Amino acid sequence: MSKRVFVIAEAGVNHNGSLDLALELIDAAAVAGADAVKFQTFKSEAVISRFAIKADYQIRTTGKEESQLDMVKKLELGLAAHLKMLERCAQHGIQFLSTPFDLESVDLLVDHLHVSMLKIPSGEITNAPLILRIARTGKPVILSTGMSTLAEIEQALGVLAFGYLSCESKPSLEGFSEVYFSEAGQRILKEKVWLLHCTTEYPAPFADVNLHAMETMRNAFGLPVGYSDHTEGFVVPIAAVALGAGIIEKHFTLNRNLPGPDHKASLEPMELAQMVAAIRQVEEALGKSAKIPAPSELKNKPIARKSLVASVPVRCGEIFSECNLTAKRPGTGISPMRYWEYIGKPTQRDYAEDEAI
């Protein structure tokens, strides 16, 4: 991944189970200038039990009459739809990504769609069998860390390292930890893994965002970090870029008024385009760490700075003092930093008021 901020337009399940809507979302993400558009790939019965309840935000947006399983079942897209979505992404030159929520979906994305990387969502960070299957594909991973502690993130990274290195021993917490702390484990994680800070609430309260946690994760794990945003608007993603996020992921929809669980907490296409444009401006403005004059400001130095001038008419032989020597624009003469070199010395000629020394 390049040093340019990688912007993921998170379509998620905002296609409402419609291939046509999914293709429109791809079109909108491409027009907005996103680097990738990401969906969610799953088999409902493999992910959600019939006893699972809805989250509060899902009840607010879809009601409580149907179960979580019934709600999500309507949002599935099969292999044929995925292939058409992949084709549409290729037509636009935008990267196709998806989050697999079950083992079969990992195989679909890797074996049939040949995706270049996989995303592990926050809710799966303790799902060791899924994480292990993903790692054994060898694909790079973006790992979201919503609802997680540093210890839980470390455990997930241990599973990834174990899988990437194709360890033959029986998977175990002890084995994951041993591989995580090994030189080979650390090396493979640095090659393969990005961490995304995230607050898993829809919409996420600004007070719960805690963007400084990105730096904590970077320091703790030595891995590149980014931010997956669930707040309203896009002020927080812009701030995350300023704080060093290398990936920004943001939900978007064609219309926030569409039925479905995630539309209300998503950007509409024009807002997505504005966010991408703002990110590009911020990353350009971040520049380099050296503090030197910018080329555009050099021409203003003589206009904005000052030079030593006579504050009143001064005759040859008079002594420079605070009464007759001052600093005024333009800055084309002697720098006022040398003011005290002249105080107490005799003038060599006459000076008119405001004349440069």
Side-chain angles (χ1 to χ4, degrees):
M1 199 172 292
S2 70
K3 291 184 178 179
R4 173 177 139 123
V5 176
F6 190 72
V7 180
I8 301 172
E10 170 65 83
V13 293
N14 281 344
H15 49 70
N16 287 357
S18 163
L19 173 60
D20 289 339
L21 201 55
L23 297 178
E24 288 186 57
L25 285 163
I26 293 169
D27 296 342
V31 170
D35 296 295
V37 57
K38 192 181 78 64
F39 293 89
Q40 297 176 7
T41 304
F42 53 86
K43 292 291 184 181
S44 302
E45 287 85 355
V47 177
I48 304 168
S49 83
R50 56 193 176 91
F51 301 109
I53 63 172
K54 288 182 177 180
D56 288 343
Y57 80 92
Q58 293 172 333
I59 294 173
R60 288 196 304 269
T61 54
T62 65
K64 58 183 179 181
E65 289 75 20
E66 63 181 355
S67 68
Q68 183 185 155
L69 177 59
D70 290 337
M71 175 191 73
V72 172
K73 182 67 178 174
K74 294 186 294 187
L75 305 176
E76 277 189 35
L77 290 174
L79 174 59
H82 276 73
L83 290 171
K84 290 185 180 297
M85 291 150 61
L86 182 67
E87 180 182 6
R88 181 64 66 91
C89 285
Q91 292 170 356
H92 283 297
I94 189 172
Q95 188 169 344
F96 173 89
L97 294 176
S98 190
T99 296
F101 284 80
D102 55 85
L103 302 181
E104 184 179 341
S105 294
V106 174
D107 296 339
L108 182 152
L109 291 172
V110 174
D111 297 338
H112 295 280
L113 273 70
H114 308 291
V115 294
S116 59
M117 67 176 66
L118 292 166
K119 166 75 187 300
I120 300 175
S122 297
E124 305 299 329
I125 199 166
T126 59
N127 188 350
L130 178 66
I131 296 173
L132 187 59
R133 175 69 69 88
I134 288 172
R136 283 177 170 165
T137 69
K139 297 292 184 181
V141 158
I142 300 171
L143 175 63
S144 269
T145 62
M147 305 175 290
S148 301
T149 64
L150 289 179
E152 289 171 328
I153 297 169
E154 183 179 295
Q155 284 188 332
L157 291 174
V159 180
L160 286 170
F162 189 94
Y164 279 136
L165 295 176
S166 300
C167 296
E168 295 182 359
S169 59
K170 181 180 178 180
S172 67
L173 289 174
E174 294 77 12
F176 300 149
S177 180
E178 181 179 348
V179 174
Y180 171 77
F181 286 107
S182 70
E183 182 178 342
Q186 287 294 303
R187 183 172 60 251
I188 197 69
L189 290 173
K190 287 177 172 60
E191 292 174 5
K192 298 279 192 178
V193 180
W194 277 76
L195 296 176
L196 295 192
H197 176 52
C198 177
T199 303
T200 307
E201 173 64 316
Y202 305 85
F206 291 107
D208 289 349
V209 169
N210 193 24
L211 280 181
H212 286 299
M214 287 195 306
E215 183 65 19
T216 299
M217 292 195 302
R218 184 189 290 116
N219 293 336
F221 303 112
L223 298 176
V225 298
Y227 175 62
S228 178
D229 185 56
H230 296 144
T231 64
E232 294 180 323
F234 54 85
V235 170
V236 177
I238 303 308
V241 172
L243 288 174
I247 295 177
I248 292 295
E249 179 183 84
K250 181 70 176 178
H251 281 263
F252 82 107
T253 177
L254 296 179
N255 187 332
R256 270 193 294 272
N257 293 319
L258 287 171
D262 294 343
H263 295 283
K264 295 297 183 185
S266 301
L267 297 181
E268 293 187 343
M270 182 61 70
E271 295 168 318
L272 179 65
Q274 291 171 340
M275 185 192 78
V276 174
I279 287 172
R280 299 301 171 221
Q281 290 170 342
V282 169
E283 66 181 347
E284 184 177 12
L286 286 173
K288 301 175 181 178
S289 58
K291 175 53 184 169
I292 56 175
S296 64
E297 64 180 342
L298 288 174
K299 65 181 181 298
N300 295 322
K301 284 176 66 175
I303 297 171
R305 291 188 174 180
K306 295 178 179 177
S307 304
L308 292 179
V309 302
S311 59
V312 296
V314 180
R315 304 208 42 185
C316 180
E318 281 191 49
I319 302 299
F320 279 124
S321 69
E322 295 177 358
C323 296
N324 59 20
L325 186 64
T326 191
K328 291 187 178 183
R329 292 177 178 175
T332 53
I334 296 170
S335 169
M337 294 295 289
R338 300 179 60 190
Y339 178 80
W340 294 275
E341 294 179 27
Y342 286 82
I343 296 296
K345 290 185 177 180
T347 61
Q348 301 298 311
R349 65 175 179 85
D350 293 346
Y351 290 96
E353 183 180 349
D354 281 347
E355 185 177 354
I357 303 304

